[in-house]
PDB file of all heavy atoms in Angstrom:
ATOM      1  N   ALA A  49    -139.617   2.452 155.794  1.00  0.00           N
ATOM      2  CA  ALA A  49    -138.346   2.877 156.278  1.00  0.00           C
ATOM      3  C   ALA A  49    -138.563   3.619 157.563  1.00  0.00           C
ATOM      4  O   ALA A  49    -137.825   3.414 158.527  1.00  0.00           O
ATOM      5  CB  ALA A  49    -137.664   3.679 155.270  1.00  0.00           C
ATOM      6  N   ALA A  50    -139.532   4.548 157.551  1.00  0.00           N
ATOM      7  CA  ALA A  50    -139.780   5.430 158.750  1.00  0.00           C
ATOM      8  C   ALA A  50    -140.217   4.554 159.928  1.00  0.00           C
ATOM      9  O   ALA A  50    -139.748   4.609 161.078  1.00  0.00           O
ATOM     10  CB  ALA A  50    -140.725   6.450 158.490  1.00  0.00           C
ATOM     11  N   SER A  51    -141.125   3.567 159.676  1.00  0.00           N
ATOM     12  CA  SER A  51    -141.650   2.656 160.615  1.00  0.00           C
ATOM     13  C   SER A  51    -140.568   1.741 161.256  1.00  0.00           C
ATOM     14  O   SER A  51    -140.536   1.598 162.386  1.00  0.00           O
ATOM     15  CB  SER A  51    -142.951   1.876 160.147  1.00  0.00           C
ATOM     16  OG  SER A  51    -143.835   2.737 159.652  1.00  0.00           O
ATOM     17  N   GLY A  52    -139.765   1.149 160.293  1.00  0.00           N
ATOM     18  CA  GLY A  52    -138.751   0.262 160.768  1.00  0.00           C
ATOM     19  C   GLY A  52    -137.733   1.017 161.655  1.00  0.00           C
ATOM     20  O   GLY A  52    -137.270   0.477 162.684  1.00  0.00           O
ATOM     21  N   LEU A  53    -137.438   2.297 161.288  1.00  0.00           N
ATOM     22  CA  LEU A  53    -136.468   3.076 162.100  1.00  0.00           C
ATOM     23  C   LEU A  53    -137.109   3.383 163.442  1.00  0.00           C
ATOM     24  O   LEU A  53    -136.478   3.174 164.543  1.00  0.00           O
ATOM     25  CB  LEU A  53    -136.093   4.303 161.388  1.00  0.00           C
ATOM     26  CG  LEU A  53    -134.999   5.174 162.043  1.00  0.00           C
ATOM     27  CD1 LEU A  53    -133.700   4.397 162.116  1.00  0.00           C
ATOM     28  CD2 LEU A  53    -134.829   6.404 161.209  1.00  0.00           C
ATOM     29  N   CYS A  54    -138.388   3.726 163.441  1.00  0.00           N
ATOM     30  CA  CYS A  54    -139.018   4.127 164.727  1.00  0.00           C
ATOM     31  C   CYS A  54    -139.203   2.905 165.647  1.00  0.00           C
ATOM     32  O   CYS A  54    -138.925   3.032 166.864  1.00  0.00           O
ATOM     33  CB  CYS A  54    -140.374   4.640 164.464  1.00  0.00           C
ATOM     34  SG  CYS A  54    -140.240   6.369 163.737  1.00  0.00           S
ATOM     35  N   VAL A  55    -139.585   1.755 165.020  1.00  0.00           N
ATOM     36  CA  VAL A  55    -139.778   0.498 165.837  1.00  0.00           C
ATOM     37  C   VAL A  55    -138.347   0.154 166.371  1.00  0.00           C
ATOM     38  O   VAL A  55    -138.258  -0.312 167.622  1.00  0.00           O
ATOM     39  CB  VAL A  55    -140.404  -0.664 164.979  1.00  0.00           C
ATOM     40  CG1 VAL A  55    -140.318  -1.927 165.730  1.00  0.00           C
ATOM     41  CG2 VAL A  55    -141.824  -0.289 164.746  1.00  0.00           C
ATOM     42  N   THR A  56    -137.408   0.243 165.609  1.00  0.00           N
ATOM     43  CA  THR A  56    -135.961  -0.129 166.144  1.00  0.00           C
ATOM     44  C   THR A  56    -135.617   0.709 167.175  1.00  0.00           C
ATOM     45  O   THR A  56    -135.019   0.270 168.211  1.00  0.00           O
ATOM     46  CB  THR A  56    -135.048  -0.106 164.979  1.00  0.00           C
ATOM     47  OG1 THR A  56    -135.513  -0.872 163.909  1.00  0.00           O
ATOM     48  CG2 THR A  56    -133.627  -0.566 165.353  1.00  0.00           C
ATOM     49  N   ILE A  57    -135.795   2.028 167.107  1.00  0.00           N
ATOM     50  CA  ILE A  57    -135.423   2.993 168.239  1.00  0.00           C
ATOM     51  C   ILE A  57    -136.154   2.646 169.401  1.00  0.00           C
ATOM     52  O   ILE A  57    -135.621   2.665 170.546  1.00  0.00           O
ATOM     53  CB  ILE A  57    -135.739   4.442 167.792  1.00  0.00           C
ATOM     54  CG1 ILE A  57    -134.703   4.861 166.651  1.00  0.00           C
ATOM     55  CG2 ILE A  57    -135.743   5.382 168.918  1.00  0.00           C
ATOM     56  CD1 ILE A  57    -135.052   6.196 166.057  1.00  0.00           C
ATOM     57  N   LEU A  58    -137.481   2.286 169.318  1.00  0.00           N
ATOM     58  CA  LEU A  58    -138.257   1.975 170.545  1.00  0.00           C
ATOM     59  C   LEU A  58    -137.902   0.693 171.176  1.00  0.00           C
ATOM     60  O   LEU A  58    -137.847   0.429 172.392  1.00  0.00           O
ATOM     61  CB  LEU A  58    -139.779   1.979 170.195  1.00  0.00           C
ATOM     62  CG  LEU A  58    -140.356   3.338 169.875  1.00  0.00           C
ATOM     63  CD1 LEU A  58    -141.759   3.205 169.354  1.00  0.00           C
ATOM     64  CD2 LEU A  58    -140.333   4.299 171.063  1.00  0.00           C
ATOM     65  N   LEU A  59    -137.644  -0.304 170.359  1.00  0.00           N
ATOM     66  CA  LEU A  59    -137.554  -1.698 170.885  1.00  0.00           C
ATOM     67  C   LEU A  59    -136.036  -2.255 170.880  1.00  0.00           C
ATOM     68  O   LEU A  59    -135.757  -3.345 171.327  1.00  0.00           O
ATOM     69  CB  LEU A  59    -138.362  -2.614 170.103  1.00  0.00           C
ATOM     70  CG  LEU A  59    -139.817  -2.350 170.128  1.00  0.00           C
ATOM     71  CD1 LEU A  59    -140.588  -3.416 169.247  1.00  0.00           C
ATOM     72  CD2 LEU A  59    -140.362  -2.408 171.584  1.00  0.00           C
ATOM     73  N   TYR A  60    -135.129  -1.544 170.338  1.00  0.00           N
ATOM     74  CA  TYR A  60    -133.750  -2.145 170.078  1.00  0.00           C
ATOM     75  C   TYR A  60    -133.122  -2.511 171.504  1.00  0.00           C
ATOM     76  O   TYR A  60    -132.613  -3.614 171.514  1.00  0.00           O
ATOM     77  CB  TYR A  60    -132.862  -1.103 169.351  1.00  0.00           C
ATOM     78  CG  TYR A  60    -131.456  -1.634 169.135  1.00  0.00           C
ATOM     79  CD1 TYR A  60    -131.321  -2.649 168.232  1.00  0.00           C
ATOM     80  CD2 TYR A  60    -130.356  -1.127 169.755  1.00  0.00           C
ATOM     81  CE1 TYR A  60    -130.002  -3.185 167.955  1.00  0.00           C
ATOM     82  CE2 TYR A  60    -129.101  -1.622 169.525  1.00  0.00           C
ATOM     83  CZ  TYR A  60    -128.940  -2.706 168.631  1.00  0.00           C
ATOM     84  OH  TYR A  60    -127.703  -3.112 168.413  1.00  0.00           O
ATOM     85  N   GLY A  61    -133.154  -1.641 172.423  1.00  0.00           N
ATOM     86  CA  GLY A  61    -132.496  -1.979 173.664  1.00  0.00           C
ATOM     87  C   GLY A  61    -133.221  -3.151 174.354  1.00  0.00           C
ATOM     88  O   GLY A  61    -132.532  -3.781 175.253  1.00  0.00           O
ATOM     89  N   GLU A  62    -134.440  -3.392 174.185  1.00  0.00           N
ATOM     90  CA  GLU A  62    -135.214  -4.281 174.971  1.00  0.00           C
ATOM     91  C   GLU A  62    -135.195  -5.696 174.314  1.00  0.00           C
ATOM     92  O   GLU A  62    -135.082  -6.702 175.035  1.00  0.00           O
ATOM     93  CB  GLU A  62    -136.640  -3.898 175.107  1.00  0.00           C
ATOM     94  CG  GLU A  62    -136.787  -2.549 175.829  1.00  0.00           C
ATOM     95  CD  GLU A  62    -136.348  -2.593 177.288  1.00  0.00           C
ATOM     96  OE1 GLU A  62    -136.488  -3.681 177.887  1.00  0.00           O
ATOM     97  OE2 GLU A  62    -135.725  -1.579 177.784  1.00  0.00           O
ATOM     98  N   LEU A  63    -135.282  -5.835 172.962  1.00  0.00           N
ATOM     99  CA  LEU A  63    -135.603  -7.092 172.329  1.00  0.00           C
ATOM    100  C   LEU A  63    -134.415  -7.639 171.553  1.00  0.00           C
ATOM    101  O   LEU A  63    -134.224  -8.874 171.427  1.00  0.00           O
ATOM    102  CB  LEU A  63    -136.783  -7.061 171.404  1.00  0.00           C
ATOM    103  CG  LEU A  63    -138.098  -6.660 172.062  1.00  0.00           C
ATOM    104  CD1 LEU A  63    -139.196  -6.637 171.010  1.00  0.00           C
ATOM    105  CD2 LEU A  63    -138.451  -7.649 173.143  1.00  0.00           C
ATOM    106  N   ALA A  64    -133.585  -6.794 170.981  1.00  0.00           N
ATOM    107  CA  ALA A  64    -132.540  -7.198 170.113  1.00  0.00           C
ATOM    108  C   ALA A  64    -131.375  -7.808 170.753  1.00  0.00           C
ATOM    109  O   ALA A  64    -130.879  -7.328 171.811  1.00  0.00           O
ATOM    110  CB  ALA A  64    -132.176  -6.100 169.167  1.00  0.00           C
ATOM    111  N   PRO A  65    -130.915  -8.934 170.225  1.00  0.00           N
ATOM    112  CA  PRO A  65    -129.716  -9.589 170.863  1.00  0.00           C
ATOM    113  C   PRO A  65    -128.430  -8.943 170.349  1.00  0.00           C
ATOM    114  O   PRO A  65    -127.396  -9.409 170.714  1.00  0.00           O
ATOM    115  CB  PRO A  65    -129.823 -11.046 170.389  1.00  0.00           C
ATOM    116  CG  PRO A  65    -130.504 -10.982 169.093  1.00  0.00           C
ATOM    117  CD  PRO A  65    -131.470  -9.719 169.187  1.00  0.00           C
ATOM    118  N   PHE A  66    -128.548  -7.966 169.509  1.00  0.00           N
ATOM    119  CA  PHE A  66    -127.293  -7.249 169.036  1.00  0.00           C
ATOM    120  C   PHE A  66    -126.952  -6.008 169.825  1.00  0.00           C
ATOM    121  O   PHE A  66    -127.789  -5.502 170.572  1.00  0.00           O
ATOM    122  CB  PHE A  66    -127.540  -6.797 167.661  1.00  0.00           C
ATOM    123  CG  PHE A  66    -128.070  -7.923 166.729  1.00  0.00           C
ATOM    124  CD1 PHE A  66    -129.357  -7.874 166.104  1.00  0.00           C
ATOM    125  CD2 PHE A  66    -127.254  -9.009 166.345  1.00  0.00           C
ATOM    126  CE1 PHE A  66    -129.842  -8.934 165.305  1.00  0.00           C
ATOM    127  CE2 PHE A  66    -127.721 -10.021 165.575  1.00  0.00           C
ATOM    128  CZ  PHE A  66    -128.938  -9.902 164.947  1.00  0.00           C
ATOM    129  N   SER A  67    -125.793  -5.474 169.570  1.00  0.00           N
ATOM    130  CA  SER A  67    -125.458  -4.224 170.201  1.00  0.00           C
ATOM    131  C   SER A  67    -124.582  -3.470 169.210  1.00  0.00           C
ATOM    132  O   SER A  67    -123.991  -4.013 168.233  1.00  0.00           O
ATOM    133  CB  SER A  67    -124.551  -4.532 171.413  1.00  0.00           C
ATOM    134  OG  SER A  67    -123.405  -5.127 171.132  1.00  0.00           O
ATOM    135  N   GLY A  68    -124.445  -2.247 169.364  1.00  0.00           N
ATOM    136  CA  GLY A  68    -123.720  -1.365 168.531  1.00  0.00           C
ATOM    137  C   GLY A  68    -124.429  -0.926 167.213  1.00  0.00           C
ATOM    138  O   GLY A  68    -125.602  -1.228 167.003  1.00  0.00           O
ATOM    139  N   ALA A  69    -123.789  -0.106 166.392  1.00  0.00           N
ATOM    140  CA  ALA A  69    -124.352   0.462 165.134  1.00  0.00           C
ATOM    141  C   ALA A  69    -124.754  -0.605 164.135  1.00  0.00           C
ATOM    142  O   ALA A  69    -125.653  -0.517 163.499  1.00  0.00           O
ATOM    143  CB  ALA A  69    -123.388   1.403 164.531  1.00  0.00           C
ATOM    144  N   LEU A  70    -123.855  -1.650 164.007  1.00  0.00           N
ATOM    145  CA  LEU A  70    -124.161  -2.738 163.093  1.00  0.00           C
ATOM    146  C   LEU A  70    -125.458  -3.442 163.451  1.00  0.00           C
ATOM    147  O   LEU A  70    -126.335  -3.796 162.630  1.00  0.00           O
ATOM    148  CB  LEU A  70    -123.067  -3.672 162.929  1.00  0.00           C
ATOM    149  CG  LEU A  70    -123.272  -4.775 161.925  1.00  0.00           C
ATOM    150  CD1 LEU A  70    -123.400  -4.239 160.472  1.00  0.00           C
ATOM    151  CD2 LEU A  70    -122.019  -5.714 161.926  1.00  0.00           C
ATOM    152  N   GLY A  71    -125.565  -3.837 164.707  1.00  0.00           N
ATOM    153  CA  GLY A  71    -126.834  -4.517 165.204  1.00  0.00           C
ATOM    154  C   GLY A  71    -128.080  -3.587 165.086  1.00  0.00           C
ATOM    155  O   GLY A  71    -129.060  -4.181 164.655  1.00  0.00           O
ATOM    156  N   PHE A  72    -127.915  -2.321 165.357  1.00  0.00           N
ATOM    157  CA  PHE A  72    -129.034  -1.443 165.099  1.00  0.00           C
ATOM    158  C   PHE A  72    -129.458  -1.307 163.659  1.00  0.00           C
ATOM    159  O   PHE A  72    -130.667  -1.359 163.353  1.00  0.00           O
ATOM    160  CB  PHE A  72    -128.626   0.018 165.598  1.00  0.00           C
ATOM    161  CG  PHE A  72    -129.683   0.972 165.516  1.00  0.00           C
ATOM    162  CD1 PHE A  72    -130.687   1.109 166.505  1.00  0.00           C
ATOM    163  CD2 PHE A  72    -129.787   1.846 164.427  1.00  0.00           C
ATOM    164  CE1 PHE A  72    -131.729   2.049 166.454  1.00  0.00           C
ATOM    165  CE2 PHE A  72    -130.836   2.783 164.323  1.00  0.00           C
ATOM    166  CZ  PHE A  72    -131.789   2.872 165.321  1.00  0.00           C
ATOM    167  N   THR A  73    -128.486  -1.206 162.818  1.00  0.00           N
ATOM    168  CA  THR A  73    -128.733  -1.163 161.404  1.00  0.00           C
ATOM    169  C   THR A  73    -129.416  -2.425 160.842  1.00  0.00           C
ATOM    170  O   THR A  73    -130.393  -2.393 160.199  1.00  0.00           O
ATOM    171  CB  THR A  73    -127.474  -0.851 160.577  1.00  0.00           C
ATOM    172  OG1 THR A  73    -126.850   0.319 161.071  1.00  0.00           O
ATOM    173  CG2 THR A  73    -127.760  -0.686 159.096  1.00  0.00           C
ATOM    174  N   LEU A  74    -128.914  -3.537 161.278  1.00  0.00           N
ATOM    175  CA  LEU A  74    -129.479  -4.871 160.812  1.00  0.00           C
ATOM    176  C   LEU A  74    -130.890  -5.029 161.390  1.00  0.00           C
ATOM    177  O   LEU A  74    -131.767  -5.451 160.618  1.00  0.00           O
ATOM    178  CB  LEU A  74    -128.606  -6.019 161.326  1.00  0.00           C
ATOM    179  CG  LEU A  74    -129.041  -7.414 160.979  1.00  0.00           C
ATOM    180  CD1 LEU A  74    -129.042  -7.593 159.429  1.00  0.00           C
ATOM    181  CD2 LEU A  74    -128.096  -8.392 161.559  1.00  0.00           C
ATOM    182  N   THR A  75    -131.108  -4.683 162.639  1.00  0.00           N
ATOM    183  CA  THR A  75    -132.433  -4.707 163.237  1.00  0.00           C
ATOM    184  C   THR A  75    -133.426  -3.797 162.481  1.00  0.00           C
ATOM    185  O   THR A  75    -134.600  -4.200 162.187  1.00  0.00           O
ATOM    186  CB  THR A  75    -132.447  -4.362 164.738  1.00  0.00           C
ATOM    187  OG1 THR A  75    -131.479  -5.253 165.312  1.00  0.00           O
ATOM    188  CG2 THR A  75    -133.802  -4.600 165.367  1.00  0.00           C
ATOM    189  N   ALA A  76    -132.995  -2.660 162.209  1.00  0.00           N
ATOM    190  CA  ALA A  76    -133.844  -1.593 161.511  1.00  0.00           C
ATOM    191  C   ALA A  76    -134.152  -2.233 160.055  1.00  0.00           C
ATOM    192  O   ALA A  76    -135.295  -2.026 159.594  1.00  0.00           O
ATOM    193  CB  ALA A  76    -133.188  -0.247 161.394  1.00  0.00           C
ATOM    194  N   TYR A  77    -133.274  -2.779 159.426  1.00  0.00           N
ATOM    195  CA  TYR A  77    -133.476  -3.299 158.101  1.00  0.00           C
ATOM    196  C   TYR A  77    -134.431  -4.409 158.156  1.00  0.00           C
ATOM    197  O   TYR A  77    -135.362  -4.584 157.255  1.00  0.00           O
ATOM    198  CB  TYR A  77    -132.086  -3.700 157.501  1.00  0.00           C
ATOM    199  CG  TYR A  77    -132.209  -4.263 156.097  1.00  0.00           C
ATOM    200  CD1 TYR A  77    -132.509  -3.366 155.022  1.00  0.00           C
ATOM    201  CD2 TYR A  77    -132.094  -5.504 155.729  1.00  0.00           C
ATOM    202  CE1 TYR A  77    -132.571  -3.757 153.713  1.00  0.00           C
ATOM    203  CE2 TYR A  77    -132.165  -6.031 154.397  1.00  0.00           C
ATOM    204  CZ  TYR A  77    -132.547  -5.124 153.437  1.00  0.00           C
ATOM    205  OH  TYR A  77    -132.579  -5.515 152.189  1.00  0.00           O
ATOM    206  N   LEU A  78    -134.302  -5.308 159.124  1.00  0.00           N
ATOM    207  CA  LEU A  78    -135.263  -6.420 159.131  1.00  0.00           C
ATOM    208  C   LEU A  78    -136.692  -5.958 159.493  1.00  0.00           C
ATOM    209  O   LEU A  78    -137.673  -6.459 158.883  1.00  0.00           O
ATOM    210  CB  LEU A  78    -134.797  -7.514 160.250  1.00  0.00           C
ATOM    211  CG  LEU A  78    -133.543  -8.290 159.833  1.00  0.00           C
ATOM    212  CD1 LEU A  78    -133.087  -9.120 161.025  1.00  0.00           C
ATOM    213  CD2 LEU A  78    -133.659  -9.038 158.589  1.00  0.00           C
ATOM    214  N   PHE A  79    -136.757  -5.001 160.395  1.00  0.00           N
ATOM    215  CA  PHE A  79    -138.142  -4.374 160.539  1.00  0.00           C
ATOM    216  C   PHE A  79    -138.640  -3.706 159.374  1.00  0.00           C
ATOM    217  O   PHE A  79    -139.846  -3.782 159.054  1.00  0.00           O
ATOM    218  CB  PHE A  79    -138.121  -3.385 161.775  1.00  0.00           C
ATOM    219  CG  PHE A  79    -138.242  -4.029 163.106  1.00  0.00           C
ATOM    220  CD1 PHE A  79    -137.276  -3.730 164.085  1.00  0.00           C
ATOM    221  CD2 PHE A  79    -139.262  -4.841 163.454  1.00  0.00           C
ATOM    222  CE1 PHE A  79    -137.313  -4.321 165.363  1.00  0.00           C
ATOM    223  CE2 PHE A  79    -139.345  -5.458 164.690  1.00  0.00           C
ATOM    224  CZ  PHE A  79    -138.421  -5.148 165.658  1.00  0.00           C
ATOM    225  N   PHE A  80    -137.777  -3.003 158.619  1.00  0.00           N
ATOM    226  CA  PHE A  80    -138.172  -2.340 157.340  1.00  0.00           C
ATOM    227  C   PHE A  80    -138.689  -3.476 156.429  1.00  0.00           C
ATOM    228  O   PHE A  80    -139.803  -3.255 155.793  1.00  0.00           O
ATOM    229  CB  PHE A  80    -136.967  -1.593 156.806  1.00  0.00           C
ATOM    230  CG  PHE A  80    -137.132  -1.372 155.293  1.00  0.00           C
ATOM    231  CD1 PHE A  80    -138.046  -0.360 154.892  1.00  0.00           C
ATOM    232  CD2 PHE A  80    -136.417  -2.032 154.426  1.00  0.00           C
ATOM    233  CE1 PHE A  80    -138.160  -0.205 153.529  1.00  0.00           C
ATOM    234  CE2 PHE A  80    -136.466  -1.786 153.031  1.00  0.00           C
ATOM    235  CZ  PHE A  80    -137.394  -0.846 152.598  1.00  0.00           C
ATOM    236  N   LEU A  81    -138.019  -4.542 156.239  1.00  0.00           N
ATOM    237  CA  LEU A  81    -138.508  -5.638 155.338  1.00  0.00           C
ATOM    238  C   LEU A  81    -139.850  -6.092 155.709  1.00  0.00           C
ATOM    239  O   LEU A  81    -140.773  -6.314 154.873  1.00  0.00           O
ATOM    240  CB  LEU A  81    -137.472  -6.711 155.182  1.00  0.00           C
ATOM    241  CG  LEU A  81    -136.169  -6.397 154.381  1.00  0.00           C
ATOM    242  CD1 LEU A  81    -135.328  -7.580 154.358  1.00  0.00           C
ATOM    243  CD2 LEU A  81    -136.525  -5.979 152.952  1.00  0.00           C
ATOM    244  N   ALA A  82    -140.031  -6.409 156.979  1.00  0.00           N
ATOM    245  CA  ALA A  82    -141.308  -6.937 157.473  1.00  0.00           C
ATOM    246  C   ALA A  82    -142.437  -5.995 157.223  1.00  0.00           C
ATOM    247  O   ALA A  82    -143.528  -6.384 156.826  1.00  0.00           O
ATOM    248  CB  ALA A  82    -141.127  -7.299 158.959  1.00  0.00           C
ATOM    249  N   ILE A  83    -142.210  -4.684 157.618  1.00  0.00           N
ATOM    250  CA  ILE A  83    -143.297  -3.702 157.467  1.00  0.00           C
ATOM    251  C   ILE A  83    -143.573  -3.430 155.962  1.00  0.00           C
ATOM    252  O   ILE A  83    -144.760  -3.326 155.559  1.00  0.00           O
ATOM    253  CB  ILE A  83    -142.863  -2.371 158.209  1.00  0.00           C
ATOM    254  CG1 ILE A  83    -142.903  -2.719 159.722  1.00  0.00           C
ATOM    255  CG2 ILE A  83    -143.843  -1.301 157.875  1.00  0.00           C
ATOM    256  CD1 ILE A  83    -142.242  -1.570 160.536  1.00  0.00           C
ATOM    257  N   TYR A  84    -142.606  -3.438 155.115  1.00  0.00           N
ATOM    258  CA  TYR A  84    -142.777  -3.323 153.686  1.00  0.00           C
ATOM    259  C   TYR A  84    -143.574  -4.377 153.106  1.00  0.00           C
ATOM    260  O   TYR A  84    -144.497  -4.251 152.312  1.00  0.00           O
ATOM    261  CB  TYR A  84    -141.375  -3.164 152.962  1.00  0.00           C
ATOM    262  CG  TYR A  84    -141.545  -2.855 151.494  1.00  0.00           C
ATOM    263  CD1 TYR A  84    -142.036  -1.741 151.008  1.00  0.00           C
ATOM    264  CD2 TYR A  84    -141.191  -3.921 150.615  1.00  0.00           C
ATOM    265  CE1 TYR A  84    -142.170  -1.504 149.685  1.00  0.00           C
ATOM    266  CE2 TYR A  84    -141.299  -3.671 149.261  1.00  0.00           C
ATOM    267  CZ  TYR A  84    -141.859  -2.463 148.730  1.00  0.00           C
ATOM    268  OH  TYR A  84    -141.961  -2.184 147.508  1.00  0.00           O
ATOM    269  N   ALA A  85    -143.256  -5.612 153.560  1.00  0.00           N
ATOM    270  CA  ALA A  85    -144.112  -6.743 153.068  1.00  0.00           C
ATOM    271  C   ALA A  85    -145.508  -6.676 153.482  1.00  0.00           C
ATOM    272  O   ALA A  85    -146.462  -6.929 152.666  1.00  0.00           O
ATOM    273  CB  ALA A  85    -143.548  -8.102 153.699  1.00  0.00           C
ATOM    274  N   VAL A  86    -145.853  -6.185 154.751  1.00  0.00           N
ATOM    275  CA  VAL A  86    -147.162  -6.023 155.132  1.00  0.00           C
ATOM    276  C   VAL A  86    -147.847  -4.885 154.370  1.00  0.00           C
ATOM    277  O   VAL A  86    -148.978  -5.019 153.879  1.00  0.00           O
ATOM    278  CB  VAL A  86    -147.295  -5.689 156.687  1.00  0.00           C
ATOM    279  CG1 VAL A  86    -148.658  -5.190 157.041  1.00  0.00           C
ATOM    280  CG2 VAL A  86    -146.758  -6.852 157.466  1.00  0.00           C
TER     281      VAL A  86
END
Side-chain angles (χ1 to χ4, degrees):
S51 299
L53 186 62
C54 290
V55 168
T56 304
I57 289 171
L58 289 174
L59 300 178
Y60 182 68
E62 299 296 325
L63 298 177
F66 308 113
S67 63
L70 181 63
F72 181 85
T73 305
L74 183 63
T75 304
Y77 184 70
L78 292 176
F79 276 127
F80 160 72
L81 286 179
I83 294 169
Y84 182 68
V86 170

